[in-house]
Amino acid sequence: MGAARDAGAYRACMEIRRAATVAELVAAQGLFDGPVHAEWAERFLAEPGHHLLLAYVDGEPAGMVSGVETTHPDKGTEMFLYELGVDEAHRRRGIGRALVEALADLARSRGCYGMWVAVDADNEAARATYRSAGRDAEEPVAVQVWDFGA
């Protein structure tokens, strides 16, 4: 069914809404890198600056985007696009773009001065999604990571 629809048909039957319950996240856990942990999900949902939007196609979870507002004393507040995921059966139909655009709209409505995301240079699918959603510039970035364990 997924491959038979064109992007316009997907957009017509797609609904994007903000996740409000742990049950919603558990039902959509196939969109995440791993299983949803109830305690972590509750903590995420309880934070006013944490946002998780779910895209539904025909009532089933098809994609998600999460964002976190970050505020700095001399810069104001911006939205960090933390993660974007679209179910493999629903890819290349505009769901990722719609989710990024919805998060950008949310960021604007919350007074964020901008939004950013870090993406691997070789992740062409993600880069194409962000380009189609209107990202401004592409600059080389080296992300430094500290791993404190699980």
Side-chain angles (χ1 to χ4, degrees), residues 49-51 66-70 77-82 103-104 106-108 110 112-117:
H50 290 185
H51 311 283
S66 60
V68 177
E69 293 176 36
T70 59
T77 302
E78 64 185 335
M79 184 69 72
F80 166 51
L81 190 160
Y82 191 86
L103 184 64
L106 177 65
R108 283 186 204 93
R110 295 189 51 87
C112 294
Y113 69 85
M115 184 168 83
W116 66 280
V117 63

Side-chain angles (χ1 to χ4, degrees), residues 118-125 127 138 140-141:
V119 62
D120 292 330
D122 64 349
N123 188 341
E124 187 50 42
R127 292 168 48 148
E138 190 172 331
V141 174

Side-chain angles (χ1 to χ4, degrees), residues 6-148:
D6 67 10
Y10 262 76
R11 283 186 99 103
C13 69
M14 180 178 50
E15 176 188 9
I16 296 176
R17 61 181 186 254
R18 187 171 179 169
T21 67
V22 172
E24 287 176 282
L25 299 182
V26 169
Q29 70 183 337
L31 302 171
F32 297 92
D33 294 332
V36 170
H37 295 265
E39 179 183 341
W40 300 343
E42 287 174 14
R43 185 174 174 190
F44 185 93
L45 294 172
E47 290 290 331
H50 290 185
H51 311 283
L52 200 143
L53 306 177
L54 293 169
Y56 294 88
V57 173
D58 297 329
E60 296 296 320
M64 70 86 185
V65 67
S66 60
V68 177
E69 293 176 36
T70 59
T71 303
H72 198 270
D74 67 337
K75 293 173 183 62
T77 302
E78 64 185 335
M79 184 69 72
F80 166 51
L81 190 160
Y82 191 86
E83 188 169 6
L84 174 67
V86 176
D87 181 83
E88 194 169 336
H90 296 283
R91 291 182 183 160
R92 302 194 53 78
R93 302 288 185 231
I95 292 173
R97 176 182 179 172
L99 284 162
V100 171
E101 290 171 345
L103 184 64
D105 289 345
L106 177 65
R108 283 186 204 93
S109 75
R110 295 189 51 87
C112 294
Y113 69 85
M115 184 168 83
W116 66 280
V117 63
V119 62
D120 292 330
D122 64 349
N123 188 341
E124 187 50 42
R127 292 168 48 148
T129 297
Y130 301 135
R131 274 193 304 273
S132 73
R135 64 96 176 105
D136 289 330
E138 190 172 331
E139 298 180 29
V141 174
V143 176
Q144 310 301 305
V145 177
W146 286 256
D147 186 353
F148 299 125

